[in-house]
Amino acid sequence: MKALDKKLLRDLMSMWAQALAVALVVAAGVATLILAVGAYRSLDETRAAYYERYRFAHVFAVATRAPRGLMKRVLELPGVAAAEARITKNALLDIDRFTQPATGLVISLPSNGVPTLNRLYIRSGRLPQPGETTAVAINEDFAAAHDFRPGSQFKALLGGRKRTLTVVGTVLSPEFIYSVGPGDFVPDDSRFGILWMAEKAVEAAYNLENAFNSVSLSLRRDASQEDVISRLDALLERYGGRGAYDRDDQFSHAFLDSELDQLSAMARVLPPIFLVVTAFLINMVLTRLIALEREEIGLFKALGYGRLAVASHYLKLVMVIAAAGIVIGFGLGTWFGDLLTRLYGNFFHFPFLVFQRNVDVYVISAIVASTSAGLGTVRAVRSAINLPPAVAMQPPAPAVYRRLWSRGAVLLRHVSQLTIMVFRHLMRWPLRAATTTLGIALAIAVLVTSLFPVGSVNFMVDFTFFQSDRQDASITFASETADRVVQNVGRLPGVMVVEQFRTVSTKMRLRHNERRVSIVGRPAGTYLTGDMSQAPDLPPRPTGIDLSRLLNVKQEPLAMPETGLVLTEKLALLLKARRGDLVEVEFLESSRRTVRVPVTEIFQSYFGLSAFMNIRALNDLLDEGAVVTGVHIAIDERFEEVLYGIIKNTPALTAIALRKASLVKFRETMAQNIVFMTGVYSTLGIIIAFGVAYNSARIQLSERARELASLRVLGFTRAEVARILTTELAIVTIIAVPIGWILGRGFAWILIQGFESELYRVPLVIERSTYAQSALIVIGAVVASALIVRRRVNRLDLIEVLKTRE
Amino acid sequence: MSIPQTDESTEVFQATGLTKVYRTGDVEVHALRGVDMTLYEGEVAVFLGPSGSGKSTLLNILGGLDAASGGRVIFRGEELTGFDERSLTLYRRRNVGFVFQFYNLISSLTARENVALVTEISDHPMRPEEALALVDLSDRMDHFPAQLSGGEQQRVAIARAIAKRPEVLLCDEPTGALDSKVGIVVLEALTAINEELGTTTAIITHNAAIREIAHRVFYFADGRIASTHINQRRLKPRDVSW
């Protein structure tokens, strides 16, 4: 081995702590890219493979009742490769040892017993046989939530009759990768299950012999999806078709899409931020590290080594560090990426996972990391290499310091010489002080970016569950029902407040923009049950205590206008609708009229696309009298169990969403996903913070070792000398904190833009505690580094400094 | 011992009208104010003079470590002052050995490796072991600088300087950081090498006693050579009274 290479190895060993700190910063940058892109691509690929193997349909449609014979014509539609008719119905479930009522989605299996589209992956047991009337296969997570296995039993209200069903198998379906009960926001496997039953049994239960109400199509590669949808709509129109839709409007797919979009946004936004930050940091650290080698560089040149030889020596040193970082980053990134893929894989109930290892990501991250390291080196070596060796071998000429400011002298009279040294040093090298400040600020910014989603989610929870949708439960009726039922619900034990609603599927159009969206009719106010029991026939009147409220952009409650549409900000944006615009509304149910309705208000919501209307105005438009499809209720907790017992046995109800349970579940889900994500990113952020702080302190010590040792010789104590370093670090850190916060907010804003989907958007809310945590973590890292460096101040060799020249 | 500057002696360096101005901030320092001198093959020259008199500056320019502001230096017929960076590097690599006051060893390399640092890039070097034997350090070859005394470190530096068999050996205060006993050992190493290899050697010193070992002594003052003295009789280092 060449002498220079030996020097390189030994140098690396002696500066291992610093080298490791730099390598870890590199590793953090590399790991983010690999983990984010890796997880995204693995999940995307997994989903594609799942869809392919289990023949997930392309187009879906729901009708009221269509004859089986229609299927022949559906299959003849141009572009259709396969079609399958079935019956899907919501049903209330009554499960032993589970107080709350649950909701089931009943799906009929074709008469031959095995679906050709949306095939099922059987986890345990089997599918129900065509002749079995009480056999049911259920989705695995519902089974797991209640510890159901083949042989277990529960009750369900099917078509108004309560039956005991026997589980014969547990399955997974590409159609329900993400399954959410009616009225809920997040999956709750204990309160929502998918039930597959033999066709005959479902037909009989719902009086749909030789009929279907749901159809799935797969299309040929060359088919026009729009064309198929409009032809299918035409076929189903007389049978109560609610408008066919493609995968983009299929809930599970759309949700998965938005989750994957989020992952891909993270992969697009966070790693570049991390990589740019790390590039800057290693550049900064290495530049100063090599600047310290100025005398050695001079010596090498004196000995006859050429520029290239000297530069490549230092480049090698840096590349070894960078390579170590890259390798650690590869390992960490792959590991975290796989963990993340598994976490999401579990969450989405994939039957298998496809891990994608893309060489490009590894190559890109390695190139970015090594290039930034290399550039830092070249820049640093160049300045030393350009000096004549005689000059390079001298310590740099004493820097020219200036008086801080003339009038400041008065102030400085009370400040010790040591403090003046600190200030003069900072001001003499403003660029150096600025880069250190920026480095620490970036570490804070990265932490803010990693930690802030918790605050945003807390805000969404508060906004949605405490400010906006304040009902304890939402009950859906089996069909449109006269609004007298509201009074009946109000008389149930424990029901304190009732608020009726009516949901109608529509297509909304404004100019070229069209969206499938449900209009929810709601009253201008809510009644108290007290009023009803005394005077049951009183017309609804506003009470000022609406259960579900609409809030405007400023979070103030909106009065429900008498007429016109109230759109979410997001929907208004998509339709490009403003207040006063006339939107074309095509009702996909009952009268199926198409009408033009003005937009009267726009409100704020973070979930889904929704539109509201005064329920009376909506019913007038549909020309059907006072009709409701469900009610929101507030429940007196003392009567909860009694009430649930009654609901479980009420045939007219098909689904119930419990808000409190949703909230708990929402928090769990978010906790699971976000805590992991923020955990990973903030760990990487902490590594960066420590890497910057430690290197800054350490380099400062090296740069000023002689000066500091001289002070010791003059009789200053260790503590006094260390204070020079720590004061300087403290000043730099204090300046860095607000800058880091501002940068962090900027990064967070960029990230938020990538999170937005039609299903939900995340508000940019950064809690004070997030700012505080980020700053404290970084300050902690700085203090820890200062302590480590202080130990080195204690070990300064005073004799050596006197012996060597200055 | 004969004085080598006879008619047939070959000139190694010829400097004429050499000036050097340093600028630090607003201050101009005239380090050399017109130096004319010639060094001959195989001679030992000692540069004497107070701090800032221009000795080191001249040595650095002769060694290709620094560029002159004016004047010329001819090295074996080639104009050194006209060399570009690349040629200067090659010049140093092939022809010059340096010994510095503070040794300038690489602390992470052993004695042998410090010498190898130079032999690896030279055309006809001796083996590092051979060079270290010349300075009587055969038994300390695998020690790191920190494990060696000051005198031993300086001898390693000399071994490193001569291992490439340079034409000239330029020593800036080689004994400056050493006590007299160790200084003598170092000077003996230098003169021994001069005798064995015929290397032209220039030594800067503050120590006037050392002039006794030189063929010629140059007295520097204020950036000029104030006078030159030829020793009719050279002393061996051990006979010099410090």
Side-chain angles (χ1 to χ4, degrees):
Chain A
M1 193 191 278
K2 284 193 173 177
L4 266 188
D5 293 332
K6 281 186 192 157
K7 168 185 180 293
L8 188 145
L9 274 184
R10 297 205 185 114
D11 284 355
L12 275 173
M13 278 189 277
S14 70
M15 57 179 276
W16 69 269
Q18 245 179 306
L20 184 68
V22 176
L24 284 176
V25 172
V26 175
V30 168
T32 38
L33 185 71
I34 291 174
L35 104 93
V37 175
Y40 167 70
R41 290 198 183 154
S42 296
L43 289 169
D44 199 40
E45 196 55 38
T46 300
R47 177 174 72 166
Y50 190 18
Y51 281 0
E52 178 82 33
R53 288 188 217 170
Y54 289 86
R55 302 196 64 187
F56 181 50
H58 294 106
V59 171
F60 309 81
V62 178
T64 312
R65 182 193 184 108
R68 285 263 164 202
L70 194 68
M71 285 310 289
K72 194 164 164 284
R73 291 176 61 194
V74 171
L75 271 164
E76 280 165 2
L77 292 178
V80 172
E84 192 157 68
R86 58 188 187 176
I87 298 164
T88 60
K89 285 281 185 184
N90 279 329
L92 272 183
L93 308 180
D94 180 1
I95 299 158
D96 285 346
R97 296 187 309 278
F98 190 66
T99 330
Q100 299 169 347
T103 306
L105 176 65
V106 179
I107 298 178
S108 70
L109 289 166
S111 48
N112 66 1
V114 183
T116 47
L117 293 179
N118 308 319
R119 286 181 181 167
L120 301 174
Y121 173 90
I122 299 173
R123 269 280 201 227
S124 70
R126 58 175 177 83
L127 293 181
Q129 299 290 322
E132 290 177 303
T133 53
T134 59
V136 63
I138 55 178
N139 60 317
E140 187 186 33
D141 294 275
F142 180 54
H146 294 287
D147 204 16
F148 285 151
R149 52 200 82 211
S152 302
Q153 294 190 318
F154 61 91
K155 298 187 190 72
L157 271 170
L158 300 179
R161 273 188 57 199
K162 199 160 195 173
R163 290 163 211 254
T164 300
L165 302 176
T166 306
V167 176
V168 295
T170 61
V171 299
L172 295 174
S173 161
E175 218 183 337
F176 300 100
I177 292 172
Y178 193 89
S179 58
V180 169
D184 262 333
F185 293 135
V186 286
D188 182 345
D189 298 321
S190 63
R191 292 188 301 106
F192 181 66
I194 323 280
L195 283 50
W196 284 269
M197 294 179 69
E199 193 171 78
K200 287 281 170 233
V202 184
E203 279 184 353
Y206 292 97
N207 293 321
L208 285 166
E209 281 87 0
N210 273 321
F212 65 90
N213 70 355
S214 163
V215 61
S216 317
L217 311 179
S218 70
L219 305 184
R220 280 202 285 271
R221 225 168 266 281
D222 57 349
S224 150
Q225 203 158 269
E226 280 172 41
D227 180 60
V228 172
I229 286 176
S230 67
R231 284 169 195 267
L232 184 61
D233 279 346
L235 276 183
L236 289 174
E237 192 174 343
R238 18 188 317 229
Y239 305 106
R242 303 230 180 125
Y245 52 93
D246 58 17
R247 283 181 180 179
D248 289 343
D249 282 318
Q250 202 266 349
F251 188 80
S252 161
H253 176 87
F255 196 92
L256 200 51
D257 239 16
S258 77
E259 288 279 323
L260 290 181
D261 280 353
Q262 266 190 38
L263 269 179
S264 113
M266 287 216 193
R268 276 197 320 273
V269 178
L270 278 182
I273 291 175
F274 270 69
L275 274 176
V276 166
V277 171
T278 51
F280 169 78
L281 294 179
I282 45 188
N283 196 295
M284 169 192 109
V285 168
L286 294 173
T287 307
R288 292 176 66 180
L289 211 60
I290 286 166
L292 289 173
E293 298 273 302
R294 174 187 151 123
E295 289 172 36
E296 279 195 356
I297 292 173
L299 175 69
F300 287 136
K301 287 187 72 191
L303 294 179
Y305 279 90
R307 286 157 170 264
L308 212 64
V310 176
S312 69
H313 170 64
Y314 287 99
L315 210 56
K316 252 192 241 171
L317 174 84
V318 168
M319 283 306 149
V320 171
I321 298 176
I326 290 169
V327 169
I328 298 172
F330 280 179
L332 271 183
T334 310
W335 183 51
F336 279 149
D338 284 1
L339 271 180
L340 192 63
T341 308
R342 271 177 227 287
L343 184 80
Y344 272 90
N346 267 340
F347 179 64
F348 290 133
H349 322 319
F350 287 126
F352 54 84
L353 288 173
V354 182
F355 289 97
Q356 285 285 90
R357 300 258 185 275
N358 299 86
V359 181
D360 57 344
V361 188
Y362 291 81
V363 171
I364 289 170
S365 56
I367 288 176
V368 173
S370 45
T371 308
S372 51
L375 284 179
T377 319
V378 170
R379 213 158 55 96
V381 172
R382 200 176 51 202
S383 63
I385 234 172
N386 281 337
L387 294 172
V391 180
M393 287 169 68
Q394 306 279 326
V400 182
Y401 287 88
R402 298 190 193 288
R403 289 182 164 276
L404 286 176
W405 60 88
S406 49
R407 260 175 295 169
V410 184
L411 290 169
L412 287 176
R413 206 176 298 154
H414 306 289
V415 179
S416 77
Q417 290 302 313
L418 292 184
T419 314
I420 294 175
M421 272 180 75
V422 169
F423 278 103
R424 290 230 175 99
H425 189 255
L426 284 173
M427 299 184 68
R428 176 60 187 81
W429 310 107
L431 196 69
R432 197 183 282 179
T435 46
T436 315
T437 309
L438 188 57
I440 294 174
L442 284 171
I444 295 173
V446 162
L447 282 170
V448 170
T449 319
S450 320
L451 292 169
F452 91 92
V454 176
S456 288
V457 168
N458 283 342
F459 179 82
M460 280 168 83
V461 165
D462 178 68
F463 187 94
T464 307
F465 293 98
F466 295 100
Q467 305 289 330
S468 182
D469 292 316
R470 304 183 297 175
Q471 63 272 26
D472 295 323
S474 302
I475 297 170
T476 312
F477 301 136
S479 55
E480 290 88 356
T481 311
D483 72 352
R484 284 186 308 277
V485 76
V486 175
Q487 275 93 328
N488 297 336
V489 174
R491 288 192 199 97
L492 292 175
V495 174
M496 298 190 296
V497 183
V498 187
E499 183 181 287
Q500 76 271 42
F501 62 84
R502 174 177 194 184
T503 311
V504 191
S505 319
T506 72
K507 270 186 196 164
M508 272 186 204
R509 270 181 293 269
L510 183 63
R511 293 178 277 272
H512 304 296
N513 308 306
E514 185 184 276
R515 278 291 179 289
R516 265 178 62 95
V517 57
S518 292
I519 296 181
V520 179
R522 57 188 298 284
T526 303
Y527 355 34
L528 281 174
T529 50
D531 288 353
M532 276 181 279
S533 51
Q534 282 154 23
D537 295 328
L538 273 183
R541 62 183 180 84
T543 56
I545 52 153
D546 308 12
L547 276 182
S548 67
R549 298 194 299 179
L550 304 183
L551 304 177
N552 67 13
V553 186
K554 289 182 216 148
Q555 288 187 57
E556 297 155 350
L558 267 179
M560 193 69 205
E562 286 295 312
T563 57
L565 282 169
V566 183
L567 307 181
T568 54
E569 214 188 355
K570 179 78 188 178
L571 180 58
L573 199 72
L574 288 171
L575 292 174
K576 295 201 173 66
R578 282 179 304 185
R579 266 193 209 91
D581 281 343
L582 278 177
V583 174
E584 190 179 291
V585 176
E586 180 189 343
F587 289 110
L588 299 173
E589 295 175 48
S590 61
S591 72
R592 306 192 75 92
R593 291 172 60 188
T594 299
V595 293
R596 281 148 100 62
V597 187
V599 176
T600 42
E601 273 294 355
I602 288 170
F603 75 104
Q604 186 77 25
S605 168
Y606 297 106
F607 289 95
L609 300 178
S610 40
F612 287 88
M613 251 184 108
N614 190 302
I615 190 165
R616 263 189 293 175
L618 181 65
N619 280 331
D620 287 349
L621 275 182
L622 286 161
D623 218 5
E624 280 182 321
V627 165
V628 301
T629 57
V631 288
H632 300 308
I633 55 176
I635 302 171
D636 182 341
E637 276 177 35
R638 290 169 299 172
F639 300 99
E640 213 172 54
E641 275 192 39
V642 188
L643 179 66
Y644 289 159
I646 294 171
I647 289 172
K648 282 177 179 178
N649 290 302
T650 309
L653 309 183
T654 61
I656 180 162
L658 300 176
R659 281 304 158 114
K660 257 183 240 154
S662 294
L663 178 57
V664 172
K665 203 64 203 172
F666 183 78
R667 287 220 160 109
E668 273 174 20
T669 309
M670 286 300 178
Q672 201 185 17
N673 292 351
I674 287 192
V675 165
F676 181 79
M677 278 306 231
T678 54
V680 167
Y681 284 112
S682 43
T683 306
L684 298 176
I686 291 169
I687 290 174
I688 289 179
F690 187 78
V692 182
Y694 178 70
N695 275 300
S696 300
R698 186 69 189 75
I699 290 171
Q700 232 184 56
L701 175 67
S702 310
E703 282 166 353
R704 310 184 65 184
R706 276 208 182 111
E707 194 178 297
L708 299 178
S710 307
L711 285 174
R712 293 274 292 114
V713 171
L714 292 177
F716 286 95
T717 63
R718 286 173 173 176
E720 283 167 332
V721 170
R723 219 186 61 209
I724 294 185
L725 284 185
T726 47
T727 311
E728 214 173 302
L729 260 181
I731 292 171
V732 164
T733 309
I734 288 168
I735 299 173
V737 166
I739 299 174
W741 285 342
I742 294 168
L743 284 175
R745 196 175 172 86
F747 290 165
W749 184 85
I750 297 172
L751 191 60
I752 287 283
Q753 304 312 306
F755 277 0
E756 190 150 336
S757 72
E758 289 192 10
L759 282 176
Y760 61 88
R761 63 200 192 84
V762 182
L764 177 57
V765 176
I766 304 182
E767 288 179 346
R768 283 184 193 172
S769 60
T770 304
Y771 285 124
Q773 274 170 17
S774 323
L776 284 176
I777 289 171
V778 172
I779 289 170
V782 172
V783 169
S785 326
L787 288 178
I788 297 175
V789 169
R790 208 197 132 151
R791 283 198 2 235
R792 289 187 166 262
V793 171
N794 296 346
R795 292 205 304 252
L796 278 178
D797 190 338
L798 306 188
I799 312 299
E800 196 58 34
V801 80
L802 291 181
K803 261 181 21 188
T804 53
R805 63 175 167 192
E806 170 80 82
Chain B
M1 259 191 282
S2 64
I3 304 162
Q5 81 268 37
T6 54
D7 286 344
E8 53 292 0
S9 296
T10 321
E11 293 170 357
V12 178
F13 284 114
Q14 193 173 29
T16 41
L18 216 52
T19 61
K20 176 72 187 177
V21 184
Y22 289 111
R23 282 182 190 81
T24 357
D26 309 333
V27 194
E28 272 196 1
V29 179
H30 291 264
L32 292 181
R33 298 169 186 268
V35 168
D36 302 297
M37 77 166 338
T38 307
L39 287 183
Y40 298 96
E41 195 172 279
E43 87 169 312
V44 174
V46 163
F47 297 0
L48 269 176
S51 286
S53 59
K55 314 178 296 281
S56 291
T57 308
L58 176 64
L59 199 78
N60 286 340
I61 294 172
L62 294 182
L65 294 179
D66 210 347
S69 309
R72 289 160 35 117
V73 177
I74 309 288
F75 171 77
R76 290 206 182 278
E78 285 188 86
E79 187 178 344
L80 200 61
T81 30
F83 278 14
D84 61 5
E85 156 73 26
R86 197 181 141 68
S87 314
L88 275 178
T89 301
L90 286 176
Y91 161 70
R92 288 194 301 267
R93 182 183 294 196
R94 289 186 185 137
N95 305 305
V96 190
F98 287 104
V99 179
F100 304 101
Q101 180 182 2
F102 294 110
Y103 335 130
N104 289 61
L105 298 178
I106 302 287
S107 56
S108 56
L109 296 180
T110 62
R112 191 205 308 257
E113 289 159 357
N114 261 289
V115 178
L117 196 60
V118 167
T119 58
E120 280 169 3
I121 57 167
S122 311
D123 295 333
H124 307 289
M126 18 180 133
R127 289 182 301 111
E129 295 76 11
E130 212 178 315
L132 285 162
L134 278 177
V135 294
D136 201 18
L137 272 180
S138 296
D139 52 342
R140 312 281 283 165
M141 283 195 299
D142 293 317
H143 288 61
F144 283 96
Q147 299 166 317
L148 298 171
S149 71
E152 287 171 329
Q153 288 187 52
Q154 192 60 300
R155 281 188 284 155
V156 174
I158 293 170
R160 184 176 67 183
I162 53 117
K164 67 168 93 160
R165 305 180 202 274
E167 296 256 356
V168 291
L169 190 56
L170 304 177
C171 312
D172 192 346
E173 298 263 14
T175 58
L178 305 170
D179 63 36
S180 61
K181 219 172 110 193
V182 180
I184 288 167
V185 177
V186 167
L187 289 177
E188 283 192 325
L190 286 175
T191 48
I193 282 151
N194 168 258
E195 276 154 27
E196 278 172 45
L197 305 174
T199 314
T200 310
T201 306
I203 302 170
I204 288 181
T205 181
H206 271 103
N207 186 342
I210 291 176
R211 67 173 180 254
E212 310 283 355
I213 68 164
H215 293 108
R216 280 197 298 165
V217 184
F218 295 86
Y219 292 91
F220 283 72
D222 201 20
R224 293 191 180 87
I225 295 173
S227 62
T228 314
H229 172 79
I230 300 173
N231 277 333
Q232 296 305 327
R233 208 173 70 82
R234 288 172 68 209
L235 293 183
K236 289 191 183 308
R238 82 175 79 93
D239 299 329
V240 172
S241 53
W242 292 58

